[in-house]
Amino acid sequence: MEMIFGLAAQNLVSPIILSFALGLFAALARSDLSVPEAAAKALSLYLLFAIGFKGGVSIAENGIDATLALSILAGVILSFLLPFIAFALLRGMTRMSALDAAAVAGHYGSISIVTFVAATSVLESQGIASEGYLVAVAAAMEAPAILSALWLAMRGSRGAAQVDGTLWREILLNGSIVLLLGAFAIGWITGPAGLAEIDSFIVAPFKGVLCLFLLDMGLVAGRGLRQTRGALGAGAVAFGLVMPPIGAAFGLAAALLLGLSTGGTVLLMTLSASASYIAVPAAMRVALPQANPSIYLTLSLGVTFPFNLTVGIPVYLAVATLLTGG
Amino acid sequence: MEMIFGLAAQNLVSPIILSFALGLFAALARSDLSVPEAAAKALSLYLLFAIGFKGGVSIAENGIDATLALSILAGVILSFLLPFIAFALLRGMTRMSALDAAAVAGHYGSISIVTFVAATSVLESQGIASEGYLVAVAAAMEAPAILSALWLAMRGSRGAAQVDGTLWREILLNGSIVLLLGAFAIGWITGPAGLAEIDSFIVAPFKGVLCLFLLDMGLVAGRGLRQTRGALGAGAVAFGLVMPPIGAAFGLAAALLLGLSTGGTVLLMTLSASASYIAVPAAMRVALPQANPSIYLTLSLGVTFPFNLTVGIPVYLAVATLLTGG
Amino acid sequence: MEMIFGLAAQNLVSPIILSFALGLFAALARSDLSVPEAAAKALSLYLLFAIGFKGGVSIAENGIDATLALSILAGVILSFLLPFIAFALLRGMTRMSALDAAAVAGHYGSISIVTFVAATSVLESQGIASEGYLVAVAAAMEAPAILSALWLAMRGSRGAAQVDGTLWREILLNGSIVLLLGAFAIGWITGPAGLAEIDSFIVAPFKGVLCLFLLDMGLVAGRGLRQTRGALGAGAVAFGLVMPPIGAAFGLAAALLLGLSTGGTVLLMTLSASASYIAVPAAMRVALPQANPSIYLTLSLGVTFPFNLTVGIPVYLAVATLLTGG
Amino acid sequence: MQTHMAKRVEIIIEAPMEGRLRSALAGADISGYTVLPVLGGSGRSGEWSREGQVGRAGGMIAVICIVHPDRVDGLLSAAFAVLESHIGVVSVTDCEVLRAERF
Amino acid sequence: MQTHMAKRVEIIIEAPMEGRLRSALAGADISGYTVLPVLGGSGRSGEWSREGQVGRAGGMIAVICIVHPDRVDGLLSAAFAVLESHIGVVSVTDCEVLRAERF
Amino acid sequence: MQTHMAKRVEIIIEAPMEGRLRSALAGADISGYTVLPVLGGSGRSGEWSREGQVGRAGGMIAVICIVHPDRVDGLLSAAFAVLESHIGVVSVTDCEVLRAERF
Ligand SMILES: Nc1ncnc2c1ncn2[C@@H]1O[C@H](COP(=O)(O)O)[C@@H](O)[C@H]1O
Ligand SMILES: Nc1ncnc2c1ncn2[C@@H]1O[C@H](COP(=O)(O)O)[C@@H](O)[C@H]1O
Ligand SMILES: Nc1ncnc2c1ncn2[C@@H]1O[C@H](COP(=O)(O)O)[C@@H](O)[C@H]1O
Ligand code: NA
Ligand code: NA
Ligand code: NA
């Protein structure tokens, strides 16, 4: 317990979290501080490229084993499964329509890559290693939850969802999946020699770039909270805080079954606990246009993301350390 | 004297100044070289974050003393005071309307953060230390001058200025103040350990980023000079060259009273000598819409900024070295 | 021969080429992965600044000799000359109109700076030195080919080309020439001391930035190929693959005459082999508006650029090594 | 100068629907249009702004399409099929154009 | 398709005034509008361009607002109060819209 | 509010021609216009998009110019001289403006 608080406290004063807090503060105080859209996208391209590449290099260094395939399978199952749990909770805890609940549920089955990146960087500062292929697991967890969400929505009201081949292509080939897996492949193919060529670009400045990106995330989250003030009831907010640990528990179970390292366990917990804010919202706008975007965007970015960043990750780390004896 | 010229010559051939000169040349020659708006904003976010953070870390390392509060107070007083001097000079030296003179005067009380950054980097290459809290002084000097400018404008013609609560919020919470002070706070809180995490992002590439930013400043300044050709009379140009040393003299006096280090003296002189080109122009557009923006933008960015960059900073450094026995 | 394949294979698995391939794949698979326009421009500004600066520093270090002037002269002649060869080939190999053929020919006399940069970075990983002033040769080769193209177009149909003084200014002062030569001058003036100030910005992260830029080039090339499917006949594609080695052969001859180093020979071959995709297309839109842009853009960016990147550069390196006994 | 009657159709639509709208326009044989970026806005679903956004979900684009008056109905039907259950605004204005043969 | 008469109001205004215009529109009960970026322009106060600019002072935005004809006057009064002493341009065009209930 | 008749001219033109169009407008004594960025489009010469582009060749801009009805002809002639052999679209719409003295 003490350890959890120690870790949490330490985590809270890292430049990364404080940058997010600064953005949040600036947006809530209605400062005109803003990161241009093109710059925010460029930062996210950088982070995806770097994290994918490093994951691939780590595979090249350590080789692969059966656990890789099993981990990906576990990720896919978690992504399919978690929306059902989220949906049940939402229907119990809030007065959301089935449609809105389905849309939100899809976000919680899928993942937030920046939460994953933040967890990676906490592991790194603690000197804890993790399986490089969790990057591939992250990519594999992006899409299946969308399927579950659409199934839940259609069960509620036939014809609610507008699904076609184009949508599937968009989901499976969405930019962040392609870049993450592509960079992973490049890292794997070129290995440590490839990394040596570009490490002063993708390794050294990584944390600093993450700070600026989190500043932007704070700004966007804060603006969202301000603009949708009132759109979220207390029940929905409670869901946004309760669902992450539940997801993390499922991730933990899977990690223990798979026999992942302590670091890997933290990352799978984090992935399960996190909620998408890029891929799933875009898919929902297309497939479930009647679902209210301010609900799912605000929950994911304004409630769950800060929770995971500040409280979640240190707790997952503490729990994983205890249970894997790391 | 010799030393001044030596320093100035050395300063003039730095990549930083030459980058600015390149941008100026390209714009005056009507090249289509341009930095996208989003990229220019991203560069300025980076510089504000880095300079604020480093200032905060230096406080964490060296502790604070009474001089911090006194320096901030001195900055606020300088910012309030200098517009009156500028206004008197403008009315004497040019045929500007009272309104335009008030608007210009506001710019010279406030500060240009990139001039401050350039001075910092000159100090660094000379190995001269300075008080980290001057970053906070810089932030404190941004806004008070606006008040003086509005007072001067209203004295001239009642009802000229459109001031309301929203404007005050915008001025005090403008993006650059928030980011500078926010990063300063983060640097202070996380200290050297925080810096160690992100120094390969905010320290190592700093000067190179500054070069690109100054290239952009040169482009914008050159385009401004070209487009407003004729808007500035000889008197106004003379003011733009005379006001900086006068401001610097006030800054020097304050620094000597405060007992700042040589580096700190240079920085306070530079702040006093520099003219705002982001925060004040935006406030003037809102509050004094009848004032002619091409006058104040061109003076600040096209005359005073290059003067400080090329001649001013080395002179301030030479003078400060002499008088503080640094 | 074996060496060529070895080099080519090694080149093919570099992060740089694979990043381009990833972009190409993503665009052809219709992923929504994209680099914002402002970010792409910022990356290209960075690359031009860095490559120009480093070229200038190398002159400052090694001094200049008569070969510099002769090399620039050779570059100008190559740029004037190659469009005529390209035009003859195009008229023989394709059914393109004289106007389109002239426009395409202009692209192949001029150069692609990113191909040059990629060649530089291959040389660097092989530890092969080259003459720094080839950056200036590159700049000198940008424009003359446009003159040849316009002459060819006007010969075909009088009044086809719309040429005036403004156009000449635009061509000679286009952003990439000005930045390349400007940074070259800054590097030359400030020398190794200047480089030391900013090398952690322009040297260390260079290859990583190049990866992201090539990812973007792959995306743009792939989108171009997809959207103009059918615009290029087999003859045109064949031209796009045959012209680079022919250009390279001329570059080789010039390099041998000039007595360039192995590295310099590779770079002059690469310049001659490469086709413009920024400066010349813009000039052609203005001066030869009836020429079809999808032909020249697709050939240059979708056919010749990938060819040089993957096959061309290693072959030029192998040949240069053989013939200069490097 | 000689001008001709035409219609200017402006469609403001969610960014993730851009591809579908483009296909629908192509299907209705409308091949000339221009896409403008949008910074932000306000509507029944609240205020929004693109600033700092990474995803495409929270954003719109504006498509301007100038057509011969006879073709407006086909264009509107095609656009409406895409827009129907989505947020967005369509407006049609009379205008005059040079070079009528293009529309 | 069935269309309805409406008005398209286009307001080109200095970027630092965006917040005030938004408030004024909200005050006049106009909740539907779209903000477009502007690259540059020219007017009595000279030529300008956004390129490379960091501050918001030298720049404008365009606000497009489609309203029921009855509401144009309220909208114009609200906009005018903000614009009065500022640079900027307002134009009103007749247009037709689908889904009239929205405006 | 009191409004006045005017014309809204919208010119969509290749980005590399922007400078020439600006000069032509200045030559025709048209000093008020606004330039909007364009993201992409489609026309007889195919589809295009600005995404990830470095050069200006593959891209367009939109110029909006509000003028007094008497000056439309001069404006169109000036624009047409620049556009003639280039791709691009010009449309003219009736509109009403506040502050007529400006146009
Ligand atoms: N009356 C209107 N005029 C212009 N744009 C509008 C209007 N109504 C809605 N929009 C745009 O369409 C988006 C979605 O509108 P809504 O569906 O009402 O939330 C808004 O955010 C605006 O960008
Ligand atoms: N007649 C016009 N048509 C379109 N935009 C205009 C017009 N006049 C002014 N503008 C825009 O409004 C800005 C300020 O105009 P002004 O107040 O005349 O300097 C210009 O820079 C243009 O962006
Ligand atoms: N009918 C139209 N409506 C709006 N924009 C158009 C239209 N036709 C062409 N454009 C724009 O002008 C560009 C060139 O058109 P085109 O010359 O037909 O290839 C297109 O890519 C569009 O951006
Ligand atoms: Na999850
Ligand atoms: Na000052
Ligand atoms: Na060539």
Side-chain angles (χ1 to χ4, degrees):
Chain A
M1 215 48 208
E2 212 168 286
M3 186 186 122
I4 296 186
F5 284 123
L7 260 174
Q10 189 182 337
N11 185 40
L12 283 176
V13 300
S14 84
I16 290 170
I17 310 280
L18 292 173
S19 296
F20 179 80
L22 174 57
L24 208 59
F25 162 80
L28 292 175
R30 304 223 263 143
S31 164
D32 71 346
L33 181 60
S34 76
V35 177
E37 179 182 354
K41 280 191 183 159
L43 294 176
S44 97
L45 292 176
Y46 169 87
L47 293 174
L48 288 166
F49 183 78
I51 195 87
F53 196 98
K54 288 186 276 187
V57 170
S58 123
I59 295 287
E61 283 175 329
N62 304 321
I64 54 167
D65 51 32
T67 322
L68 187 160
L70 288 176
S71 297
I72 288 179
L73 185 67
V76 170
I77 294 174
L78 283 167
S79 178
F80 267 122
L81 178 72
L82 290 173
F84 291 91
I85 295 165
F87 186 79
L89 276 176
L90 282 163
R91 298 295 274 169
M93 295 172 71
T94 72
R95 290 208 224 113
M96 248 176 239
S97 73
L99 200 71
D100 282 333
V104 171
H107 289 70
Y108 283 82
S110 184
I111 59 118
S112 144
I113 199 72
V114 69
T115 314
F116 177 79
V117 165
T120 317
S121 100
V122 168
L123 290 182
E124 217 172 80
S125 16
Q126 308 278 331
I128 302 176
S130 64
E131 289 80 1
Y133 53 70
L134 279 162
V135 166
V137 176
M141 289 178 75
E142 285 224 42
I146 297 173
L147 218 75
S148 307
L150 296 183
W151 189 88
L152 284 165
M154 285 197 272
R155 211 197 40 164
S157 55
R158 305 233 136 266
Q162 305 178 351
V163 188
D164 57 10
T166 313
L167 181 64
W168 289 123
R169 207 208 50 237
E170 284 174 5
I171 292 172
L172 293 174
L173 289 173
N174 93 62
S176 57
I177 295 188
V178 168
L179 183 51
L180 197 59
L181 288 183
F184 180 76
I186 297 178
W188 192 344
I189 297 172
T190 62
L195 184 61
E197 290 193 60
I198 62 171
D199 60 357
S200 39
F201 178 64
I202 66 171
V203 177
F206 188 82
K207 263 198 192 162
V209 176
L210 184 56
C211 284
L212 280 196
F213 189 67
L214 285 175
L215 175 74
D216 176 58
M217 299 273 298
L219 288 167
V220 173
R223 204 172 53 219
L225 286 172
R226 225 182 57 222
Q227 281 171 350
T228 58
R229 204 173 349 126
L232 290 189
V237 173
F239 167 81
L241 301 174
V242 162
M243 186 63 208
I246 296 180
F250 279 84
L252 174 64
L256 293 176
L257 280 174
L258 292 162
L260 295 185
S261 69
T262 304
T265 304
V266 173
L267 293 182
L268 193 56
M269 291 174 77
T270 302
L271 287 173
S272 308
S274 74
S276 171
Y277 65 92
I278 299 183
V280 181
M284 291 300 138
R285 283 320 295 148
V286 171
L288 296 180
Q290 294 90 347
N292 183 347
S294 42
I295 297 182
Y296 50 72
L297 280 173
T298 311
L299 260 185
S300 168
L301 195 57
V303 178
T304 295
F305 177 67
F307 171 82
N308 278 323
L309 201 62
T310 53
V311 179
I313 293 173
V315 172
Y316 312 150
L317 171 53
V319 172
T321 310
L322 268 176
L323 297 189
T324 63
Chain B
M1 214 50 207
E2 213 169 286
M3 186 186 123
I4 297 185
F5 285 122
L7 261 172
Q10 189 182 336
N11 186 39
L12 284 176
V13 301
S14 84
I16 289 170
I17 309 279
L18 292 173
S19 297
F20 179 79
L22 174 58
L24 208 59
F25 162 80
L28 292 175
R30 303 222 263 143
S31 164
D32 70 346
L33 181 59
S34 75
V35 177
E37 179 182 352
K41 280 191 183 157
L43 294 175
S44 96
L45 292 176
Y46 169 88
L47 293 174
L48 288 167
F49 183 78
I51 196 87
F53 196 99
K54 287 186 278 187
V57 171
S58 123
I59 296 287
E61 283 175 328
N62 304 321
I64 53 168
D65 50 33
T67 323
L68 188 159
L70 288 175
S71 298
I72 289 180
L73 185 67
V76 170
I77 294 173
L78 283 166
S79 179
F80 267 122
L81 177 72
L82 290 172
F84 290 91
I85 296 164
F87 186 79
L89 276 177
L90 283 162
R91 297 295 274 170
M93 296 173 71
T94 71
R95 291 208 224 111
M96 247 176 239
S97 73
L99 200 71
D100 283 331
V104 171
H107 289 70
Y108 283 82
S110 184
I111 60 118
S112 144
I113 198 72
V114 70
T115 313
F116 178 78
V117 166
T120 317
S121 100
V122 168
L123 290 182
E124 218 173 78
S125 15
Q126 308 278 332
I128 302 176
S130 63
E131 290 80 2
Y133 53 70
L134 279 163
V135 165
V137 176
M141 289 178 76
E142 285 224 43
I146 298 173
L147 218 75
S148 306
L150 296 183
W151 188 87
L152 285 165
M154 284 197 273
R155 211 197 41 164
S157 54
R158 305 233 138 266
Q162 305 178 352
V163 188
D164 57 10
T166 313
L167 180 64
W168 289 123
R169 208 207 50 237
E170 283 174 5
I171 292 172
L172 292 174
L173 290 173
N174 93 62
S176 56
I177 294 188
V178 169
L179 183 51
L180 197 59
L181 287 184
F184 180 76
I186 298 178
W188 192 345
I189 297 172
T190 62
L195 183 61
E197 291 193 61
I198 62 171
D199 60 357
S200 40
F201 178 64
I202 66 170
V203 178
F206 188 81
K207 264 201 189 158
V209 175
L210 184 56
C211 283
L212 281 196
F213 189 67
L214 284 175
L215 176 73
D216 176 59
M217 299 273 297
L219 287 167
V220 173
R223 204 173 52 219
L225 285 173
R226 225 183 58 223
Q227 281 171 350
T228 58
R229 205 173 348 126
L232 290 189
V237 173
F239 167 82
L241 301 173
V242 161
M243 185 62 207
I246 296 179
F250 280 84
L252 173 65
L256 293 176
L257 280 174
L258 292 162
L260 295 186
S261 68
T262 305
T265 304
V266 173
L267 293 181
L268 193 56
M269 290 174 79
T270 303
L271 286 173
S272 307
S274 73
S276 172
Y277 65 92
I278 299 183
V280 181
M284 291 301 138
R285 284 319 296 147
V286 171
L288 296 180
Q290 295 90 346
N292 184 347
S294 41
I295 297 181
Y296 50 72
L297 281 173
T298 311
L299 260 185
S300 168
L301 195 56
V303 178
T304 294
F305 176 68
F307 171 81
N308 278 323
L309 201 62
T310 52
V311 179
I313 294 173
V315 171
Y316 312 150
L317 172 52
V319 172
T321 310
L322 268 175
L323 296 189
T324 63
Chain C
M1 216 50 207
E2 212 168 287
M3 186 185 121
I4 297 186
F5 284 123
L7 261 173
Q10 189 182 336
N11 185 39
L12 284 177
V13 300
S14 83
I16 289 169
I17 309 279
L18 292 173
S19 296
F20 180 79
L22 174 58
L24 207 60
F25 163 80
L28 293 175
R30 304 223 261 144
S31 164
D32 70 346
L33 181 60
S34 75
V35 177
E37 179 182 352
K41 279 189 182 160
L43 294 176
S44 96
L45 291 176
Y46 169 87
L47 293 174
L48 288 167
F49 183 78
I51 196 86
F53 197 98
K54 288 186 276 187
V57 171
S58 122
I59 295 286
E61 283 175 329
N62 305 320
I64 53 167
D65 51 32
T67 323
L68 187 160
L70 289 176
S71 297
I72 288 179
L73 185 68
V76 170
I77 294 174
L78 283 166
S79 179
F80 268 123
L81 177 72
L82 290 172
F84 291 90
I85 295 164
F87 186 79
L89 276 176
L90 282 163
R91 296 295 275 169
M93 296 173 71
T94 72
R95 293 210 221 112
M96 247 176 240
S97 73
L99 200 71
D100 283 332
V104 171
H107 288 70
Y108 283 82
S110 184
I111 60 119
S112 144
I113 198 72
V114 70
T115 314
F116 177 79
V117 166
T120 316
S121 101
V122 168
L123 289 182
E124 217 173 80
S125 16
Q126 309 278 332
I128 302 177
S130 63
E131 289 81 1
Y133 54 70
L134 279 162
V135 165
V137 177
M141 289 179 75
E142 285 224 44
I146 297 173
L147 218 74
S148 306
L150 296 183
W151 189 87
L152 284 165
M154 284 197 271
R155 210 197 42 164
S157 55
R158 304 232 139 267
Q162 305 179 352
V163 187
D164 57 10
T166 314
L167 180 64
W168 288 123
R169 208 208 49 237
E170 283 175 5
I171 292 173
L172 292 174
L173 289 173
N174 93 61
S176 57
I177 294 188
V178 168
L179 183 51
L180 197 58
L181 288 183
F184 180 76
I186 298 177
W188 191 346
I189 297 172
T190 62
L195 184 61
E197 290 193 61
I198 61 171
D199 61 356
S200 39
F201 178 63
I202 66 171
V203 177
F206 189 81
K207 263 199 190 159
V209 176
L210 184 56
C211 284
L212 280 196
F213 189 67
L214 285 175
L215 176 74
D216 176 58
M217 299 274 297
L219 288 167
V220 172
R223 204 173 53 218
L225 286 172
R226 225 183 57 222
Q227 280 170 351
T228 58
R229 206 172 348 126
L232 290 189
V237 173
F239 167 82
L241 302 174
V242 162
M243 186 62 207
I246 296 179
F250 278 85
L252 173 64
L256 294 177
L257 280 174
L258 292 162
L260 295 185
S261 67
T262 305
T265 304
V266 173
L267 292 182
L268 193 56
M269 291 175 78
T270 302
L271 286 173
S272 308
S274 74
S276 171
Y277 65 92
I278 298 183
V280 182
M284 292 300 138
R285 284 319 294 147
V286 170
L288 296 180
Q290 295 90 346
N292 183 346
S294 40
I295 297 182
Y296 50 70
L297 280 173
T298 312
L299 260 184
S300 169
L301 196 55
V303 178
T304 294
F305 177 67
F307 171 82
N308 277 324
L309 202 62
T310 53
V311 179
I313 293 172
V315 172
Y316 312 149
L317 173 52
V319 171
T321 311
L322 268 175
L323 296 189
T324 63
Chain D
M1 295 189 74
Q2 172 68 28
T3 59
H4 311 265
M5 298 293 297
K7 295 275 184 179
R8 177 183 186 277
V9 182
E10 186 175 79
I11 305 170
I12 299 175
I13 190 178
E14 291 165 275
M17 301 300 291
E18 177 179 347
R20 285 170 178 77
L21 179 62
R22 283 188 181 234
S23 307
L25 292 179
D29 219 37
I30 306 285
S31 72
Y33 53 83
T34 295
V35 183
L36 305 185
V38 171
L39 276 187
S42 167
R44 289 167 311 168
S45 46
E47 273 195 51
W48 62 275
S49 147
R50 281 304 304 157
E51 262 171 13
Q53 299 272 11
V54 172
R56 292 198 94 194
M60 312 200 70
I61 50 159
V63 176
I64 295 172
C65 187
I66 292 164
V67 287
H68 193 275
D70 295 348
R71 308 186 61 193
V72 167
D73 253 8
L75 167 49
L76 290 184
S77 312
F80 193 67
V82 173
L83 266 169
E84 203 173 0
S85 48
H86 285 85
I87 63 179
V89 176
V90 180
S91 66
V92 183
T93 317
D94 290 321
C95 68
E96 288 165 275
V97 292
L98 306 176
R99 307 197 272 192
E101 69 286 2
R102 301 196 45 155
F103 300 95
Chain E
M1 296 191 72
Q2 171 67 31
T3 58
H4 310 267
M5 298 294 297
K7 296 275 185 179
R8 177 182 186 278
V9 181
E10 186 175 80
I11 305 171
I12 299 176
I13 191 178
E14 292 166 272
M17 300 301 291
E18 177 179 346
R20 284 172 179 75
L21 179 62
R22 284 188 181 233
S23 307
L25 293 179
D29 218 38
I30 306 286
S31 71
Y33 55 83
T34 295
V35 183
L36 306 185
V38 171
L39 277 187
S42 168
R44 290 168 311 168
S45 46
E47 273 195 52
W48 62 276
S49 148
R50 280 305 302 158
E51 263 171 12
Q53 299 273 13
V54 172
R56 292 199 94 195
M60 311 200 69
I61 52 159
V63 176
I64 295 172
C65 185
I66 292 165
V67 287
H68 193 274
D70 296 348
R71 308 186 60 194
V72 167
D73 253 9
L75 167 49
L76 291 184
S77 311
F80 193 68
V82 173
L83 266 169
E84 202 173 359
S85 47
H86 285 85
I87 63 179
V89 177
V90 180
S91 66
V92 183
T93 319
D94 290 321
C95 68
E96 288 165 276
V97 292
L98 306 176
R99 308 198 271 191
E101 70 285 3
R102 302 197 44 157
F103 300 94
Chain F
M1 294 190 73
Q2 172 68 29
T3 58
H4 310 266
M5 298 293 297
K7 295 276 184 178
R8 179 184 185 275
V9 181
E10 186 175 78
I11 305 170
I12 299 175
I13 190 176
E14 292 165 273
M17 301 300 291
E18 177 179 347
R20 284 171 179 75
L21 180 63
R22 283 188 180 234
S23 306
L25 292 179
D29 219 37
I30 306 285
S31 71
Y33 54 84
T34 295
V35 183
L36 306 185
V38 171
L39 276 187
S42 168
R44 289 167 313 168
S45 47
E47 272 194 51
W48 62 276
S49 148
R50 281 303 305 157
E51 263 171 12
Q53 300 272 13
V54 171
R56 293 198 93 195
M60 311 199 71
I61 52 158
V63 176
I64 295 173
C65 186
I66 293 165
V67 286
H68 193 275
D70 295 348
R71 308 185 61 193
V72 167
D73 254 8
L75 167 50
L76 291 184
S77 312
F80 193 67
V82 174
L83 266 168
E84 203 174 358
S85 47
H86 285 86
I87 62 180
V89 176
V90 179
S91 66
V92 183
T93 318
D94 290 322
C95 68
E96 289 165 274
V97 292
L98 306 176
R99 307 198 272 192
E101 69 285 3
R102 303 195 43 157
F103 300 95

